[in-house]
């Protein structure tokens, strides 16, 4: 199975026919407990849903195949995946995060990880010299997010993996924006890949989830699995089933997402009311060459910075008709969000920035919607 191309893997990995019935669609096993022997013998390999269940095993099989990993874990959310992973590090561990990253991760590492005894620093991951300098001090984890949220910064995964490994660090990549259909960090040298499966894997804005895919089934992977089992941030079987169903159309959806994003980004980049479009597929993007080298396509997330500041951005967001003002991303419907307004009391996003999740509507309609909103 792992020799097939990504779109074939997305359809078939974890989706073998049910051996009991021959059903093509996988069954959902909702049981919280499983029959065992009088001395606790696991008759069919399962004991209790928090420790594992057949539906999650199918999803994990698919994730391993798609990312080219050795083992995977599934979680109740992307934040649960990140938290369980980072809290598995020993106290005193130093972790290097990107300066532009998901606001939930920023809150996690600024408010909670120091309480666990972790030493947290940030750096511009696109500046390899700055990363090398930061790695001169002992480092446990180098965390990559590319393309980043919400500025769509691109960093060189292979170069960062080399730097991180030279410093003795684990290299972890958030691949949520790209998905394994566009980018495979493990093949570029990363050790672990993180996903908010809520986004493109689910694909329909109706299921929460997270995942970790490990390049090696080693002691650290087992340590994280044990913490998941004990602390209980598990993915419910029905959520696992919905996510697995989303995998089957991931290739087709990503192709259309990316095509629509290109049309919209090119239109916005030429509009006089727009100061900047952050989308790595544009040749003017500072990370375009790196993205072209390590990605199959450039994704469906972009951000647009409007001339006229906060007021102009909010006015455009308010006039859009097809784009829904909502958080999250990766669903069929196109979304727009003024990130600074939802990032809490200390926003990091520029006040003139709108983050855009380009959906699966007709591309001409999406361009026309922004055209009328920009005036």
């Amino acid at each position: 199975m792992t020799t097939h191309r990504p779109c074939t893997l997305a359809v078939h990995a974890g989706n073998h026919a049910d051996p009991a019935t021959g059903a093509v669609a996988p069954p959902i096993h909702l049981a919280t407990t499983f029959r065992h022997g009088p001395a606790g013998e696991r008759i069919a390999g399962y004991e209790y849903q928090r420790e594992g269940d057949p539906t999650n095993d199918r999803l994990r099989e698919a994730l391993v195949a798609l990312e080219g990993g050795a083992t995977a874990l599934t979680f109740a959310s992307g934040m649960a995946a990140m938290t369980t992973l980072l809290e598995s590090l020993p106290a005193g561990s130093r972790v290097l995060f990107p300066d532009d990253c998901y606001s939930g991760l920023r809150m996690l590492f600024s408010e909670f990880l120091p309480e666990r005894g972790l030493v947290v620093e940030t750096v511009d991951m696109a500046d390899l010299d700055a990363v090398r300098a930061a790695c001169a001090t002992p480092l446990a984890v180098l965390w990559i997010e590319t393309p980043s949220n919400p500025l769509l910064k691109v960093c060189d995964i292979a170069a960062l993996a080399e730097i991180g490994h030279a410093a003795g660090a684990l290299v972890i990549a958030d691949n949520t924006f790209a998905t394994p259909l566009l980018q495979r960090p493990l093949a570029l040298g990363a050790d672990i890949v993180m996903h908010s499966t809520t986004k493109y894997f689910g694909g329909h804005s109706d299921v929460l989830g997270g995942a970790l895919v490990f390049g090696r089934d080693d002691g650290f992977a087992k340590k994280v699995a044990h913490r998941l089992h004990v602390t209980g941030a598990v993915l419910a079987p029905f959520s696992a089933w919905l996510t697995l169903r989303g995998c089957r159309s991931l290739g087709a959806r990503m192709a259309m997402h990316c095509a629509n994003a290109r049309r919209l980004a090119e239109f916005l980049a030429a509009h006089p009311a727009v100061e900047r479009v952050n989308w790595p597929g544009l040749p003017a993007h500072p990370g375009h060459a790196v993205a072209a080298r390590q990605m199959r396509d450039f994704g469906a997330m972009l951000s647009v910075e409007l001339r006229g500041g906060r007021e102009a951005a909010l006015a455009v967001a308010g006039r859009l008709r097809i784009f829904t003002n909502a958080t999250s991303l990766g669903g069929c419907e196109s979304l727009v969000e003024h990130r600074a307004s939802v990032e809490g009391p200390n926003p990091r996003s520029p006040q003139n920035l709108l983050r855009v999740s380009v959906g699966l509507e007709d591309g001409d309609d999406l361009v026309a919607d922004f055209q009328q909103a920009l005036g």
Side-chain angles (χ1 to χ4, degrees):
M1 179 65 70
T2 55
T3 60
H4 295 309
R5 291 176 175 82
C7 287
T8 303
L9 287 175
V11 172
H12 291 284
N15 277 301
H16 42 277
D18 177 37
T21 65
V24 173
I28 308 173
H29 293 275
L30 298 176
T32 57
T33 190
F34 300 82
R35 185 170 66 92
H36 61 57
E41 305 93 338
R42 296 191 176 191
I43 294 171
Y46 300 99
E47 180 178 85
Y48 188 61
Q49 189 187 109
R50 181 161 47 82
E51 298 178 346
D53 67 89
T55 312
N56 267 284
D57 279 354
R58 280 179 176 260
L59 175 57
R60 292 171 177 181
E61 177 186 338
L63 293 167
V64 165
L66 285 166
E67 284 288 5
T71 189
L73 297 170
T74 45
F75 297 81
S77 67
M79 286 303 302
M82 289 190 283
T83 302
T84 306
L85 173 62
L86 291 166
E87 290 189 349
S88 298
L89 298 171
S93 296
R94 181 168 168 266
V95 185
L96 199 59
F97 291 102
D99 63 340
D100 184 56
C101 63
Y102 171 52
S103 59
L105 175 62
R106 187 177 301 280
M107 284 188 281
L108 177 64
F109 70 64
S110 60
E111 297 180 32
F112 297 102
L113 294 185
E115 295 176 353
R116 300 289 184 177
L118 299 185
V119 179
V120 172
E121 295 180 24
T122 60
V123 68
D124 180 356
M125 292 289 174
D127 185 343
L128 296 181
D129 288 335
V131 176
R132 287 188 188 95
C135 288
T137 305
L139 187 67
V141 165
L142 192 155
W143 189 283
I144 299 171
E145 184 179 301
T146 184
S148 69
N149 183 359
L151 296 181
L152 280 296
K153 286 187 175 183
V154 171
C155 60
D156 189 327
I157 298 173
L160 289 172
E162 184 177 348
I163 295 169
H165 291 154
L170 281 172
V171 177
I172 302 169
D174 182 338
N175 203 28
T176 299
F177 272 20
T179 82
L181 270 290
L182 307 184
Q183 178 174 271
R184 298 183 87 192
L186 296 179
L188 295 169
D191 300 298
I192 304 169
V193 173
M194 195 286 297
H195 284 283
S196 172
T197 58
T198 306
K199 311 307 193 288
Y200 289 105
F201 277 103
H204 293 77
S205 303
D206 58 9
V207 57
L208 203 65
L212 298 172
V213 184
F214 297 82
R216 298 179 302 277
D217 188 6
D218 57 10
F220 186 68
K222 290 177 171 59
K223 183 178 182 180
V224 178
H226 179 61
R227 180 174 287 270
L228 170 60
H229 164 211
V230 173
T231 57
V234 297
L235 184 66
F238 184 55
S239 296
W241 186 88
L242 284 173
T243 307
L244 186 61
R245 184 177 68 166
C247 284
R248 302 182 84 164
S249 62
L250 183 60
R253 286 188 287 108
M254 291 310 296
M256 189 168 179
H257 277 304
C258 292
N260 280 349
R262 177 176 293 281
R263 296 183 67 184
L264 183 62
E266 290 175 347
F267 163 76
L268 291 171
H271 199 284
V274 172
E275 181 179 300
R276 180 181 296 106
V277 177
N278 303 308
W279 185 66
L282 293 173
H285 188 286
H288 175 72
V290 173
R293 185 170 67 246
Q294 70 187 18
M295 300 179 73
R296 297 184 183 93
D297 206 335
F298 299 101
M301 293 301 300
L302 60 89
S303 57
V304 56
E305 299 176 44
L306 281 302
R307 302 188 192 279
R310 175 185 174 89
E311 292 74 18
L314 293 178
V316 170
R319 288 194 291 263
L320 288 166
R321 298 165 184 165
I322 296 175
F323 288 80
T324 301
N325 281 265
T327 199
S328 199
L329 56 108
C332 298
E333 62 288 323
S334 291
L335 304 178
V336 65
E337 184 170 52
H338 185 248
R339 288 297 296 169
S341 291
V342 300
E343 288 180 347
N346 299 301
R348 295 291 298 265
S349 296
Q351 290 289 339
N352 68 336
L353 180 142
L354 297 176
R355 190 186 71 177
V356 180
S357 172
V358 183
L360 302 180
E361 301 91 345
D362 186 277
D364 287 340
D365 289 339
L366 297 179
V367 168
D369 194 26
F370 253 98
Q371 189 169 31
Q372 63 81 25
L374 289 164

